[in-house]
Coordinates of all heavy atoms in Angstrom, one line a residue:
M1 N 70.5 85.2 107.7 CA 71.5 86.1 107.5 C 71.3 87.1 106.5 O 70.8 86.8 105.4 CB 72.9 85.4 107.3 CG 74.1 86.1 107.7 SD 75.6 85.1 107.5 CE 76.0 85.7 105.9
E2 N 71.5 88.3 106.8 CA 71.2 89.4 105.8 C 72.3 89.5 104.7 O 73.4 89.4 105.0 CB 71.1 90.7 106.5 CG 70.3 91.7 105.7 CD 69.9 93.0 106.4 OE1 70.4 93.1 107.5 OE2 69.1 93.8 106.0
S3 N 71.9 89.7 103.5 CA 72.9 89.8 102.4 C 73.5 91.2 102.5 O 72.8 92.1 102.7 CB 72.2 89.7 101.0 OG 71.4 88.6 101.1
V4 N 74.8 91.2 102.3 CA 75.5 92.5 102.3 C 76.2 92.7 101.0 O 76.7 91.7 100.4 CB 76.6 92.4 103.5 CG1 77.5 93.7 103.4 CG2 76.0 92.3 104.8
R5 N 76.1 93.9 100.5 CA 76.7 94.3 99.3 C 77.7 95.5 99.5 O 77.6 96.2 100.4 CB 75.6 94.6 98.2 CG 74.7 93.6 97.9 CD 75.5 92.6 97.0 NE 74.5 91.4 96.6 CZ 74.2 90.4 97.2 NH1 74.8 90.2 98.4 NH2 73.4 89.5 96.7
T6 N 78.6 95.7 98.5 CA 79.5 96.7 98.6 C 79.1 97.9 97.7 O 78.8 97.6 96.5 CB 80.9 96.2 98.3 OG1 81.3 95.3 99.2 CG2 81.9 97.5 98.3
C7 N 78.9 99.1 98.2 CA 78.6 100.2 97.3 C 79.7 100.5 96.4 O 80.8 100.7 96.9 CB 78.2 101.4 98.3 SG 78.1 103.0 97.4
V8 N 79.4 100.6 95.2 CA 80.5 100.9 94.3 C 81.0 102.3 94.3 O 82.0 102.7 93.7 CB 80.1 100.5 92.7 CG1 79.9 99.0 92.6 CG2 78.9 101.3 92.3
G9 N 80.2 103.2 95.0 CA 80.6 104.5 95.1 C 81.6 104.8 96.2 O 82.7 105.2 96.1
C10 N 81.2 104.5 97.5 CA 82.0 104.7 98.7 C 82.7 103.5 99.2 O 83.5 103.5 100.1 CB 81.2 105.4 99.8 SG 79.8 104.3 100.4
R11 N 82.5 102.3 98.5 CA 83.1 101.1 98.8 C 82.8 100.6 100.2 O 83.6 99.8 100.9 CB 84.7 101.2 98.6 CG 85.1 101.9 97.4 CD 85.1 101.0 96.2 NE 86.1 100.0 96.3 CZ 86.3 98.9 95.5 NH1 85.4 98.8 94.6 NH2 87.3 98.1 95.7
T12 N 81.8 101.0 100.8 CA 81.3 100.5 102.1 C 80.3 99.4 102.0 O 79.6 99.4 101.1 CB 80.6 101.7 102.9 OG1 81.4 102.9 102.9 CG2 80.2 101.3 104.3
R13 N 80.5 98.4 102.9 CA 79.6 97.3 102.8 C 78.3 97.7 103.5 O 78.3 98.4 104.5 CB 80.1 96.1 103.4 CG 81.3 95.5 102.5 CD 82.2 94.6 103.3 NE 81.5 93.3 103.7 CZ 81.3 92.3 102.9 NH1 81.7 92.3 101.6 NH2 80.7 91.2 103.3
A14 N 77.1 97.3 103.0 CA 75.9 97.7 103.5 C 74.9 96.7 103.2 O 75.0 95.9 102.3 CB 75.4 99.1 103.0
P15 N 73.8 96.5 104.1 CA 72.7 95.6 103.7 C 72.1 95.9 102.3 O 72.0 97.1 102.1 CB 71.7 95.8 104.8 CG 72.4 96.6 105.9 CD 73.6 97.2 105.3
R16 N 71.9 94.9 101.6 CA 71.4 95.2 100.3 C 70.1 96.0 100.2 O 69.8 96.7 99.3 CB 71.3 94.0 99.4 CG 70.4 92.8 99.9 CD 70.3 91.6 99.0 NE 69.2 91.9 98.1 CZ 69.0 91.1 97.0 NH1 69.7 90.0 96.9 NH2 68.0 91.4 96.1
A17 N 69.3 96.0 101.3 CA 68.0 96.7 101.4 C 68.3 98.2 101.4 O 67.5 99.0 100.9 CB 67.3 96.3 102.7
S18 N 69.5 98.6 101.7 CA 69.8 100.0 101.8 C 70.6 100.5 100.6 O 70.9 101.7 100.5 CB 70.6 100.3 103.1 OG 71.9 99.8 102.9
L19 N 70.7 99.6 99.6 CA 71.5 100.0 98.4 C 70.5 99.9 97.2 O 69.5 99.1 97.3 CB 72.7 99.1 98.2 CG 73.8 99.2 99.3 CD1 74.8 98.1 99.0 CD2 74.4 100.5 99.2
L20 N 70.9 100.6 96.2 CA 70.1 100.5 95.0 C 70.9 99.7 94.0 O 72.0 99.8 93.8 CB 70.0 102.0 94.4 CG 69.4 102.0 93.0 CD1 67.9 101.7 93.0 CD2 69.6 103.4 92.4
R21 N 70.2 98.7 93.4 CA 70.8 97.8 92.3 C 70.7 98.6 91.1 O 69.7 99.2 90.7 CB 70.1 96.5 92.3 CG 70.8 95.5 91.3 CD 70.2 94.2 91.4 NE 71.0 93.2 90.7 CZ 70.7 92.7 89.4 NH1 69.6 93.2 88.9 NH2 71.4 91.9 88.9
V22 N 71.8 98.5 90.3 CA 71.9 99.2 89.1 C 72.3 98.2 87.9 O 73.2 97.4 88.2 CB 72.9 100.4 89.1 CG1 73.0 101.1 87.7 CG2 72.5 101.4 90.1
V23 N 71.7 98.1 86.9 CA 72.0 97.3 85.7 C 72.3 98.1 84.6 O 71.8 99.3 84.4 CB 70.9 96.2 85.5 CG1 70.7 95.3 86.7 CG2 69.6 96.9 85.2
A24 N 72.9 97.5 83.6 CA 73.2 98.2 82.3 C 72.3 97.5 81.2 O 72.4 96.3 81.0 CB 74.7 98.1 82.0
V25 N 71.5 98.2 80.5 CA 70.7 97.7 79.4 C 71.1 98.6 78.2 O 70.8 99.8 78.2 CB 69.2 97.8 79.7 CG1 68.3 97.3 78.5 CG2 68.8 97.0 81.0
D26 N 71.6 98.0 77.2 CA 72.1 98.6 76.0 C 72.9 99.9 76.4 O 72.6 101.0 75.9 CB 70.9 99.0 75.2 CG 70.1 97.9 74.6 OD1 70.7 96.8 74.5 OD2 68.8 98.0 74.5
S27 N 73.9 99.7 77.2 CA 74.8 100.7 77.6 C 74.2 101.9 78.3 O 74.6 103.0 78.4 CB 75.6 101.3 76.4 OG 76.3 100.3 75.9
T28 N 73.0 101.6 78.9 CA 72.3 102.7 79.8 C 72.2 102.1 81.1 O 71.7 101.0 81.4 CB 70.9 103.0 79.1 OG1 71.1 103.4 77.8 CG2 70.3 104.0 80.0
L29 N 72.6 103.0 82.1 CA 72.4 102.6 83.5 C 71.0 102.7 83.9 O 70.4 103.8 83.8 CB 73.3 103.4 84.4 CG 74.9 103.1 84.3 CD1 75.6 104.2 85.2 CD2 75.1 101.7 84.8
I30 N 70.5 101.6 84.4 CA 69.1 101.6 84.8 C 68.9 101.3 86.3 O 69.5 100.3 86.8 CB 68.3 100.5 84.0 CG1 68.4 100.7 82.5 CG2 66.8 100.5 84.4 CD1 67.5 101.7 81.9
P31 N 68.2 102.1 87.1 CA 68.0 101.7 88.5 C 67.0 100.5 88.5 O 65.9 100.6 87.9 CB 67.3 103.0 89.0 CG 66.8 103.7 87.9 CD 67.5 103.4 86.7
D32 N 67.4 99.5 89.2 CA 66.6 98.3 89.3 C 66.1 98.2 90.8 O 66.6 97.5 91.6 CB 67.5 97.1 89.1 CG 66.7 95.8 89.2 OD1 65.5 95.8 89.3 OD2 67.4 94.8 89.3
E33 N 65.0 99.0 91.0 CA 64.5 99.2 92.3 C 64.1 97.9 93.0 O 64.1 97.8 94.2 CB 63.3 100.2 92.3 CG 63.8 101.6 92.2 CD 62.6 102.6 92.4 OE1 61.9 102.9 91.4 OE2 62.5 103.0 93.5
R34 N 63.6 96.9 92.2 CA 63.1 95.7 92.9 C 64.2 94.7 92.9 O 64.0 93.5 93.3 CB 62.0 95.2 92.1 CG 60.7 96.1 92.4 CD 59.5 95.5 91.7 NE 58.4 96.5 91.7 CZ 57.4 96.4 90.8 NH1 57.3 95.4 90.0 NH2 56.5 97.3 90.9
A35 N 65.4 95.0 92.3 CA 66.5 94.1 92.3 C 66.1 92.8 91.6 O 66.4 91.7 92.1 CB 67.1 93.8 93.7
A36 N 65.3 92.9 90.6 CA 64.8 91.7 90.0 C 65.2 91.6 88.5 O 64.9 90.6 87.8 CB 63.3 91.8 90.0
M37 N 66.0 92.5 88.0 CA 66.3 92.5 86.6 C 67.5 91.4 86.4 O 68.4 91.3 87.2 CB 66.7 93.8 86.0 CG 65.5 94.8 85.9 SD 65.9 96.5 85.5 CE 66.2 96.3 83.7
P38 N 67.5 90.8 85.2 CA 68.6 89.8 85.0 C 69.8 90.4 84.7 O 69.9 91.6 84.4 CB 68.0 89.0 83.8 CG 67.1 90.1 83.1 CD 66.5 90.9 84.1
G39 N 70.9 89.6 84.7 CA 72.2 90.1 84.4 C 73.0 90.5 85.6 O 72.5 90.4 86.8
R40 N 74.1 91.1 85.3 CA 75.0 91.6 86.4 C 74.4 92.9 87.0 O 73.8 93.7 86.3 CB 76.4 91.9 85.9 CG 77.1 90.6 85.4 CD 78.5 90.9 85.1 NE 79.3 91.3 86.2 CZ 79.9 90.4 87.1 NH1 79.8 89.1 86.7 NH2 80.5 90.7 88.1
G41 N 74.6 93.1 88.3 CA 74.2 94.3 88.9 C 75.2 94.9 89.7 O 76.1 94.2 90.2
A42 N 75.2 96.2 89.8 CA 76.1 96.9 90.7 C 75.3 97.6 91.8 O 74.1 97.9 91.6 CB 76.9 98.0 90.0
W43 N 75.8 97.7 93.0 CA 75.1 98.2 94.1 C 75.6 99.5 94.6 O 76.8 99.7 94.7 CB 75.1 97.3 95.3 CG 74.4 95.9 95.0 CD1 75.0 94.9 94.2 CD2 73.1 95.5 95.2 NE1 74.0 93.9 94.1 CE2 72.9 94.3 94.7 CE3 72.0 96.2 96.0 CZ2 71.7 93.6 94.9 CZ3 70.8 95.5 96.1 CH2 70.6 94.3 95.5
V44 N 74.8 100.5 94.7 CA 75.2 101.8 95.2 C 74.2 102.5 96.1 O 73.0 102.2 96.0 CB 75.4 102.7 93.8 CG1 74.1 103.0 93.1 CG2 76.1 104.0 94.2
H45 N 74.7 103.4 97.0 CA 73.8 104.1 97.8 C 73.0 105.0 96.9 O 73.5 105.5 95.9 CB 74.5 104.9 98.9 CG 75.1 104.0 100.0 ND1 76.4 103.9 100.2 CD2 74.4 103.4 101.0 CE1 76.6 103.1 101.3 NE2 75.5 102.8 101.8
E46 N 71.7 105.3 97.3 CA 70.9 106.2 96.5 C 71.2 107.7 96.8 O 70.4 108.5 97.3 CB 69.4 106.0 96.9 CG 68.9 104.7 96.2 CD 67.4 104.6 96.5 OE1 66.8 105.6 96.8 OE2 66.9 103.4 96.3
T47 N 72.5 108.0 96.7 CA 72.9 109.4 96.9 C 73.6 109.9 95.8 O 74.4 109.1 95.1 CB 73.8 109.6 98.2 OG1 74.9 108.8 98.0 CG2 73.0 109.0 99.4
S48 N 73.7 111.2 95.4 CA 74.5 111.7 94.4 C 75.9 111.5 94.6 O 76.7 111.4 93.8 CB 74.1 113.1 94.1 OG 74.0 113.9 95.3
E49 N 76.3 111.6 95.9 CA 77.7 111.4 96.3 C 78.3 110.1 95.9 O 79.3 110.1 95.2 CB 77.9 111.6 97.8 CG 77.8 113.0 98.3 CD 76.3 113.4 98.5 OE1 75.4 112.5 98.4 OE2 76.1 114.5 99.0
C50 N 77.5 109.1 96.2 CA 78.0 107.8 95.9 C 77.9 107.5 94.3 O 78.8 106.9 93.7 CB 77.3 106.6 96.6 SG 77.7 106.6 98.3
L51 N 76.8 108.0 93.7 CA 76.7 107.9 92.3 C 77.9 108.5 91.6 O 78.4 108.0 90.6 CB 75.3 108.3 91.8 CG 75.1 108.2 90.3 CD1 74.9 106.7 90.1 CD2 73.9 108.9 89.9
D52 N 78.1 109.8 91.9 CA 79.2 110.6 91.3 C 80.5 109.8 91.5 O 81.3 109.8 90.6 CB 79.2 112.0 92.0 CG 78.0 112.8 91.5 OD1 77.4 112.5 90.5 OD2 77.9 113.9 92.1
A53 N 80.8 109.4 92.7 CA 82.0 108.7 93.0 C 82.2 107.5 92.0 O 83.3 107.2 91.5 CB 82.1 108.3 94.4
A54 N 81.1 106.7 92.0 CA 81.1 105.5 91.1 C 81.3 105.9 89.7 O 82.1 105.2 89.0 CB 79.8 104.8 91.3
L55 N 80.7 107.0 89.2 CA 80.9 107.4 87.8 C 82.3 107.8 87.6 O 82.9 107.6 86.5 CB 79.9 108.5 87.5 CG 78.4 108.0 87.4 CD1 77.5 109.2 87.2 CD2 78.1 107.0 86.4
R56 N 82.8 108.7 88.6 CA 84.1 109.2 88.4 C 85.2 108.1 88.2 O 86.1 108.2 87.3 CB 84.5 110.1 89.5 CG 84.3 111.6 89.4 CD 85.1 112.4 90.3 NE 85.0 111.9 91.6 CZ 84.1 112.3 92.5 NH1 83.0 113.1 92.1 NH2 84.0 111.9 93.7
R57 N 85.1 107.1 89.0 CA 86.1 106.0 88.9 C 85.7 104.9 88.0 O 86.3 103.8 88.1 CB 86.5 105.6 90.3 CG 85.4 104.9 91.1 CD 86.1 104.1 92.2 NE 86.5 105.0 93.3 CZ 85.9 105.0 94.5 NH1 84.8 104.3 94.6 NH2 86.3 105.8 95.4
R58 N 84.7 105.1 87.2 CA 84.2 104.1 86.3 C 83.9 102.8 86.9 O 84.2 101.8 86.4 CB 85.2 104.0 85.1 CG 85.3 105.3 84.3 CD 86.6 105.3 83.4 NE 86.7 104.1 82.5 CZ 86.0 104.1 81.4 NH1 85.3 105.1 81.0 NH2 86.1 103.1 80.7
A59 N 83.4 102.8 88.2 CA 83.1 101.6 88.8 C 82.0 100.8 88.2 O 82.0 99.6 88.3 CB 82.8 102.0 90.4
F60 N 81.1 101.5 87.6 CA 80.0 100.7 87.0 C 80.4 99.9 85.8 O 80.1 98.7 85.6 CB 78.9 101.7 86.5 CG 78.0 102.3 87.6 CD1 78.0 103.6 87.9 CD2 77.2 101.4 88.4 CE1 77.2 104.1 88.9 CE2 76.5 101.9 89.4 CZ 76.5 103.3 89.7
V61 N 81.4 100.5 85.0 CA 81.9 99.8 83.8 C 82.6 98.5 84.3 O 82.4 97.4 83.7 CB 82.9 100.7 83.1 CG1 83.6 100.0 82.0 CG2 82.2 101.9 82.6
R62 N 83.2 98.6 85.4 CA 84.0 97.5 85.9 C 83.1 96.4 86.5 O 83.1 95.2 86.3 CB 85.0 97.9 86.9 CG 86.5 97.9 86.3 CD 87.5 98.4 87.3 NE 87.2 99.8 87.6 CZ 87.7 100.4 88.7 NH1 88.5 99.7 89.5 NH2 87.4 101.7 89.0
A63 N 82.1 96.9 87.4 CA 81.3 96.0 88.1 C 80.3 95.3 87.1 O 79.9 94.2 87.3 CB 80.5 96.8 89.1
L64 N 79.8 96.0 86.1 CA 78.9 95.4 85.2 C 79.6 94.7 84.1 O 78.9 94.1 83.2 CB 78.0 96.5 84.7 CG 77.1 97.2 85.9 CD1 76.3 98.3 85.4 CD2 76.2 96.2 86.5
R65 N 80.9 94.9 83.9 CA 81.6 94.3 82.9 C 81.1 94.7 81.5 O 80.9 93.8 80.6 CB 81.7 92.8 83.0 CG 82.4 92.3 84.3 CD 82.9 90.9 84.2 NE 83.4 90.6 85.5 CZ 83.5 89.3 85.9 NH1 83.1 88.3 85.2 NH2 84.0 89.0 87.1
V66 N 80.9 96.0 81.3 CA 80.5 96.4 80.0 C 81.7 97.2 79.5 O 82.6 97.7 80.1 CB 79.3 97.3 80.1 CG1 78.0 96.6 80.4 CG2 79.5 98.4 81.1
S67 N 81.7 97.3 78.1 CA 82.8 98.1 77.5 C 82.3 99.4 77.0 O 81.1 99.5 76.6 CB 83.4 97.3 76.4 OG 82.4 96.9 75.5
G68 N 83.0 100.5 77.0 CA 82.6 101.7 76.5 C 81.7 102.5 77.5 O 81.5 102.0 78.6
P69 N 81.5 103.7 77.1 CA 80.7 104.6 78.0 C 79.3 104.2 78.2 O 78.7 103.6 77.4 CB 80.8 106.0 77.2 CG 80.9 105.6 75.7 CD 81.6 104.2 75.8
L70 N 78.9 104.6 79.4 CA 77.5 104.3 79.8 C 76.7 105.5 79.8 O 77.1 106.6 80.2 CB 77.4 103.6 81.1 CG 78.0 102.2 81.3 CD1 78.3 101.8 82.7 CD2 77.0 101.2 80.7
D71 N 75.4 105.4 79.4 CA 74.4 106.5 79.5 C 73.9 106.6 80.9 O 73.3 105.7 81.3 CB 73.3 106.2 78.5 CG 72.4 107.4 78.3 OD1 72.4 108.3 79.2 OD2 71.6 107.5 77.4
T72 N 74.2 107.7 81.5 CA 73.9 107.9 82.9 C 72.7 108.7 83.1 O 72.3 109.0 84.3 CB 75.1 108.5 83.7 OG1 75.4 109.7 83.1 CG2 76.3 107.6 83.6
Q73 N 72.2 109.2 82.0 CA 71.0 110.2 82.2 C 69.8 109.6 83.0 O 69.3 110.2 83.8 CB 70.5 110.5 80.8 CG 70.4 112.0 80.6 CD 70.0 112.4 79.2 OE1 69.5 111.6 78.4 NE2 70.2 113.6 78.8
T74 N 69.5 108.3 82.7 CA 68.3 107.7 83.3 C 68.6 107.7 84.9 O 67.6 108.0 85.6 CB 68.2 106.3 82.7 OG1 68.0 106.4 81.4 CG2 66.9 105.7 83.4
I75 N 69.7 107.2 85.2 CA 70.0 107.1 86.7 C 70.1 108.4 87.3 O 69.7 108.6 88.4 CB 71.1 106.2 86.9 CG1 71.2 105.8 88.4 CG2 72.4 106.8 86.5 CD1 71.1 104.4 88.7
E76 N 70.6 109.4 86.6 CA 70.8 110.7 87.3 C 69.3 111.4 87.4 O 69.1 112.0 88.5 CB 71.7 111.6 86.4 CG 73.1 111.4 86.7 CD 74.0 112.0 85.6 OE1 73.5 112.8 84.8 OE2 75.2 111.7 85.6
Q77 N 68.5 111.2 86.5 CA 67.1 111.7 86.5 C 66.5 111.0 87.8 O 65.7 111.6 88.5 CB 66.4 111.5 85.3 CG 66.7 112.6 84.3 CD 66.2 112.2 82.9 OE1 65.5 111.2 82.7 NE2 66.5 113.1 81.9
F78 N 66.6 109.7 87.8 CA 66.1 109.0 88.9 C 66.4 109.4 90.3 O 65.6 109.6 91.2 CB 66.5 107.4 88.7 CG 66.1 106.5 89.9 CD1 64.8 106.0 90.0 CD2 67.0 106.3 90.9 CE1 64.5 105.2 91.1 CE2 66.6 105.5 92.0 CZ 65.4 104.9 92.1
L79 N 67.7 109.7 90.4 CA 68.2 110.2 91.7 C 67.6 111.7 91.9 O 67.3 112.0 93.1 CB 69.7 110.3 91.7 CG 70.4 109.0 92.2 CD1 72.0 109.2 92.4 CD2 69.9 108.5 93.4
Q80 N 67.6 112.5 90.9 CA 67.1 113.7 91.1 C 65.7 113.8 91.5 O 65.3 114.5 92.4 CB 67.1 114.5 89.7 CG 68.1 115.7 89.7 CD 68.4 116.0 88.3 OE1 67.6 116.0 87.4 NE2 69.7 116.3 88.0
R81 N 64.9 112.9 90.9 CA 63.4 112.7 91.3 C 63.4 112.3 92.8 O 62.6 112.8 93.5 CB 62.8 111.8 90.5 CG 61.4 112.0 90.1 CD 60.9 111.2 88.9 NE 61.3 109.9 88.9 CZ 61.8 109.4 87.8 NH1 62.1 110.1 86.7 NH2 62.2 108.0 87.8
K82 N 64.2 111.4 93.2 CA 64.2 110.9 94.5 C 64.5 112.0 95.5 O 63.9 112.1 96.6 CB 65.3 109.9 94.7 CG 65.0 108.5 94.2 CD 64.7 107.5 95.4 CE 64.0 106.3 94.9 NZ 63.6 105.4 96.0
R83 N 65.5 112.8 95.1 CA 65.9 114.0 96.0 C 64.8 115.0 96.1 O 64.4 115.4 97.2 CB 67.1 114.6 95.4 CG 68.2 114.7 96.3 CD 69.5 115.4 96.1 NE 69.6 115.9 94.7 CZ 70.4 115.3 93.8 NH1 71.1 114.2 94.1 NH2 70.6 115.8 92.6
L84 N 64.1 115.2 95.0 CA 62.9 116.1 95.0 C 61.9 115.6 95.9 O 61.2 116.3 96.7 CB 62.4 116.4 93.6 CG 63.4 117.3 92.7 CD1 62.8 117.4 91.3 CD2 63.7 118.6 93.3
N85 N 61.6 114.4 95.8 CA 60.5 113.8 96.6 C 60.9 113.8 98.0 O 60.0 113.7 98.9 CB 60.2 112.3 96.1 CG 59.6 112.2 94.8 OD1 59.0 113.3 94.3 ND2 59.6 111.1 94.2
G86 N 62.2 113.8 98.4 CA 62.6 113.8 99.7 C 62.3 115.0 100.4 O 62.1 115.1 101.6
Y87 N 62.1 116.1 99.7 CA 61.9 117.4 100.2 C 60.3 117.6 100.5 O 59.5 117.4 99.5 CB 62.4 118.6 99.4 CG 63.9 118.7 99.5 CD1 64.7 118.4 98.4 CD2 64.4 119.2 100.7 CE1 66.1 118.6 98.6 CE2 65.8 119.3 100.9 CZ 66.6 119.0 99.8 OH 68.0 119.2 99.9
G88 N 59.9 118.1 101.6 CA 58.6 118.5 101.7 C 57.5 117.5 101.7 O 56.3 117.8 101.5
H89 N 57.9 116.2 101.7 CA 56.9 115.2 101.5 C 56.9 114.3 102.7 O 56.8 113.0 102.6 CB 57.1 114.4 100.2 CG 56.2 115.0 99.1 ND1 54.9 114.9 99.0 CD2 56.7 115.7 98.0 CE1 54.5 115.5 97.9 NE2 55.5 116.0 97.3
E90 N 57.2 114.9 103.9 CA 57.1 114.0 105.0 C 55.9 114.0 105.7 O 55.7 113.4 106.8 CB 58.3 114.6 106.0 CG 59.6 114.1 105.6 CD 60.7 115.0 106.2 OE1 60.5 115.5 107.4 OE2 61.8 115.3 105.6
V91 N 54.8 114.3 105.0 CA 53.5 114.4 105.6 C 53.0 112.9 105.7 O 52.3 112.6 106.7 CB 52.5 115.1 104.7 CG1 51.1 115.2 105.2 CG2 53.0 116.6 104.4
N92 N 53.4 112.1 104.8 CA 52.9 110.7 104.7 C 53.7 109.9 105.8 O 53.3 108.7 106.0 CB 53.0 110.1 103.3 CG 52.0 110.7 102.4 OD1 51.0 111.2 102.9 ND2 52.2 110.7 101.2
G93 N 54.8 110.5 106.2 CA 55.5 109.9 107.4 C 56.1 108.5 107.1 O 56.1 107.6 108.0
S94 N 56.6 108.2 105.9 CA 57.2 107.0 105.7 C 58.7 107.1 106.1 O 59.5 107.8 105.4 CB 57.0 106.5 104.3 OG 57.5 107.5 103.4
K95 N 59.0 106.6 107.1 CA 60.5 106.7 107.5 C 61.2 105.4 107.2 O 60.8 104.4 107.4 CB 60.5 106.9 109.1 CG 60.3 108.3 109.4 CD 60.7 108.5 110.9 CE 60.5 110.1 111.2 NZ 60.8 110.4 112.6
Ligands
LIG1 ZN1 78.0 104.4 99.1

């Protein structure tokens, strides 16, 4: 049976393979691409829509049970990089 997680952005349930695990390390949100980092994790689609929605409603703070503001720079840069890589790099044909 496939594990299903709920995206903290759009609140849709999805197979964990299609979601990005996010953890908080020293109040910084870190993308955990291999889903191997210890501690609590939050799951979110790798889209700026879901990330923004999660940040707006402070879903990460709740899901990760951290107090205070989180540094989102790392994860925003990560998503930006993903988006850039998505453009014009379909030559290698990884679908
Ligand atoms: Zn989502």
Side-chain angles (χ1 to χ4, degrees):
M1 209 176 89
E2 197 168 16
S3 316
V4 172
R5 295 287 184 275
T6 302
C7 170
V8 293
C10 61
R11 314 278 293 172
T12 304
R13 286 162 70 79
R16 53 178 277 176
S18 70
L19 297 171
L20 172 70
R21 187 174 189 260
V22 179
V23 296
V25 178
D26 295 333
S27 294
T28 301
L29 285 177
I30 307 277
D32 179 13
E33 283 191 274
R34 291 183 191 161
M37 290 175 78
R40 299 187 65 87
W43 296 80
V44 66
H45 286 112
E46 285 185 16
T47 64
S48 47
E49 286 83 4
C50 287
L51 184 69
D52 286 347
L55 293 175
R56 264 203 310 276
R57 64 163 75 107
R58 295 165 59 79
F60 285 117
V61 175
R62 261 177 294 164
L64 300 173
R65 298 205 183 154
V66 291
S67 56
L70 287 164
D71 185 345
T72 59
Q73 229 175 18
T74 305
I75 191 119
E76 278 170 9
Q77 278 168 4
F78 171 82
L79 273 188
Q80 244 160 42
R81 216 160 44 230
K82 282 255 167 182
R83 240 189 343 259
L84 290 179
N85 288 343
Y87 284 111
H89 269 288
E90 281 161 30
V91 183
N92 292 334
S94 55
K95 276 195 176 173

